[in-house]
Amino acid sequence: MMNPNIRKATLQDVAAVAVIYNKLHALEEAGLVSIGWDSRVYPIRSTAIKALEDDTLYVMTMDDEVVASAIINQEQPSAYSSVEWSFPADDSKVGILHTLVVDPDSGGRGFGKIFVSFFEKYCKEMGYEVVRLDTQVKNTRPFNMYPMLGYRLAGICETKFQNLPDTVDLAMFEKKL
């Protein structure tokens, strides 16, 4: 097995990223996973396109196939202002991971952990001091994974998020680099 490669996404990658979003939505709609997303609203193809246009969309490939994706930027959702961070930092020194997805057909191979490790290395290279990310409380796999990777739960906030129709319980995590 080749090692996974993580790189900035190209326009050609958007379709594969949208397929991953759709697979996850289908699993959630079938009651097989609980993420808290909405197939009509978030994440959808336009989510990937906007991130591509913003130059913040990254993909992980194996044998030239997209197996995971995430958005890396410095945009902190408004809910981030409602928690007390243990590692306060100037916004210019904080990296944020959004919408980390792994193709369900490639799950169980540690790709999520590899992507988080890439995210941390990238942020360190950018001179950031702190990394933050969030997930819905009901999304138990990453909710449990992040503490194992050294992330501290900074707080949970009921909030409107990504134009989803209902409020969500958003768990926000942090790690000092």
Side-chain angles (χ1 to χ4, degrees):
M1 177 175 100
M2 291 178 44
N3 287 329
N5 176 47
I6 301 176
R7 59 172 172 75
K8 284 224 173 154
T10 66
L11 185 57
Q12 290 72 32
D13 297 319
V14 169
V17 172
V19 166
I20 295 171
Y21 293 164
N22 292 337
K23 285 180 182 180
L24 292 168
H25 287 309
L27 288 173
E28 185 159 28
E29 288 165 5
L32 300 173
V33 298
S34 178
I35 303 168
W37 289 342
D38 184 318
S39 62
R40 297 161 299 176
V41 181
Y42 180 83
I44 55 177
R45 181 185 177 87
S46 63
T47 306
I49 289 171
K50 180 180 182 330
L52 179 74
E53 290 169 350
D54 293 343
D55 202 29
T56 59
L57 183 65
Y58 290 79
V59 293
M60 175 187 289
T61 60
M62 286 286 296
D63 302 322
D64 296 322
E65 295 291 322
V66 174
V67 296
S69 169
I71 298 167
I72 300 173
N73 61 31
Q74 292 187 286
E75 294 176 23
Q76 299 185 62
S78 60
Y80 281 33
S81 64
S82 68
V83 299
E84 200 169 313
W85 298 101
S86 289
F87 310 119
D90 187 270
D91 288 351
S92 67
K93 296 291 186 182
V94 179
I96 314 292
L97 181 70
H98 304 275
T99 323
L100 172 61
V101 294
V102 175
D103 187 322
D105 298 333
S106 298
R109 297 164 72 183
F111 291 157
K113 291 176 185 169
I114 293 168
F115 220 118
V116 171
S117 177
F118 167 84
F119 161 65
E120 293 171 6
K121 183 174 180 268
Y122 169 84
C123 289
K124 205 170 224 172
E125 289 171 1
M126 295 298 291
Y128 304 160
E129 299 169 357
V130 174
V131 287
R132 295 178 180 160
L133 48 83
D134 58 71
T135 190
Q136 291 190 41
V137 171
K138 66 168 68 174
N139 192 359
T140 56
R141 287 182 74 187
F143 188 85
N144 294 323
M145 176 182 75
Y146 294 133
M148 288 189 299
L149 299 177
Y151 283 78
R152 177 194 165 277
L153 177 62
I156 297 172
C157 173
E158 183 180 344
T159 186
K160 290 292 284 176
F161 188 72
Q162 294 291 352
N163 297 321
L164 292 171
D166 300 314
T167 59
V168 302
D169 289 324
L170 194 66
M172 292 154 279
F173 292 88
E174 65 181 333
K175 184 175 183 178
K176 189 162 182 59
L177 292 178

